[in-house]
Amino acid sequence: MKILYMTTGLGLGGAETQVCNLCDQFIELGHDVSLAYLLEPQVIKPQSDQVSIYPLGLTRSPTSLFGAFYRLVKLIKILKPDVIHTHMVHANLIARIASIFAKTPVLISTAHSANEGSKLRMLAYRLTNPLANMTTNVSQKAVEAFIEQEQQLLRPLIWYLTVLIRFNFL
């Protein structure tokens, strides 16, 4: 199976280490594994030399987002992976949008925190969630936090719809 892992960065951190370990484990199982990452610097990498590594060149400049996005879509079209497994918020969101432009048979998004950021990021997660075949998190506590945050995002919308219905605007 061809697997493309994608992460926000390959700095020295727990999520980055987990992604590299996953790459190594799937190589040992005989799969064809590639790893794309958005942000430099690359501090760590999988131990196996069989993992192809692709920097996507995202910088702190907002305009670089388009270049990184284009490179990801192009990479997906070239590699034609059977599974794309993304890790961390920026990689999850960008890959979900890229799946609209490049055929992605299976897209798995994994969050590594109970708090992925602002309400805007959580709204982006919610809006793009249907683009992923599966969304996972690293702990049950984090899953429960996501559910609570999602409910908090929905409360104003539910209140607004209730008002519209009550006063016959819908």
Side-chain angles (χ1 to χ4, degrees):
M1 181 168 37
K2 293 176 81 173
I3 304 169
L4 172 61
Y5 282 96
M6 182 179 164
T7 185
T8 299
L10 286 174
L12 192 58
E16 295 86 345
T17 302
Q18 287 178 356
V19 171
C20 289
N21 289 341
L22 282 169
C23 289
D24 288 329
Q25 289 170 4
F26 277 91
I27 286 289
E28 287 178 16
L29 292 171
H31 298 285
D32 180 1
V33 178
S34 298
L35 173 59
Y37 65 97
L38 292 168
L39 293 168
E40 295 286 352
Q42 178 189 340
V43 177
I44 64 170
K45 66 177 189 164
Q47 292 180 356
S48 175
D49 292 333
Q50 295 177 39
V51 177
S52 301
I53 300 175
Y54 300 94
L56 297 175
L58 182 66
T59 66
R60 302 292 177 191
S61 161
T63 57
S64 76
L65 177 61
F66 297 106
F69 180 80
Y70 172 78
R71 285 185 283 281
L72 175 61
V73 169
K74 188 175 174 183
L75 181 65
I76 293 168
K77 288 180 178 180
I78 290 168
L79 294 178
K80 297 180 175 74
D82 300 305
V83 175
I84 299 173
H85 189 175
T86 62
H87 292 261
M88 297 192 287
V89 63
H90 298 92
N92 290 341
L93 293 173
I94 291 171
R96 287 173 175 186
I97 303 296
S99 73
I100 296 170
F101 300 94
K103 187 176 180 182
T104 54
V106 176
L107 176 60
I108 302 168
S109 296
T110 299
H112 283 259
S113 174
N115 181 6
E116 290 288 286
S118 68
K119 288 183 180 181
L120 184 61
R121 274 193 199 156
M122 293 309 296
L123 180 60
Y125 255 128
R126 177 164 175 67
L127 293 175
T128 61
N129 199 44
L131 299 173
N133 297 89
M134 180 184 290
T135 301
T136 66
N137 206 313
V138 294
S139 74
Q140 184 61 36
K141 185 176 182 178
V143 169
E144 291 166 4
F146 261 81
I147 291 169
E148 177 59 28
Q149 288 173 353
E150 186 170 289
Q151 288 173 349
Q152 287 176 3
L153 281 172
L154 287 177
R155 283 185 190 122
L157 177 62
I158 292 168
W159 176 84
Y160 182 68
L161 289 174
T162 303
V163 169
L164 291 178
I165 291 167
R166 184 176 292 153
F167 294 102
N168 294 320
F169 291 116
L170 285 182

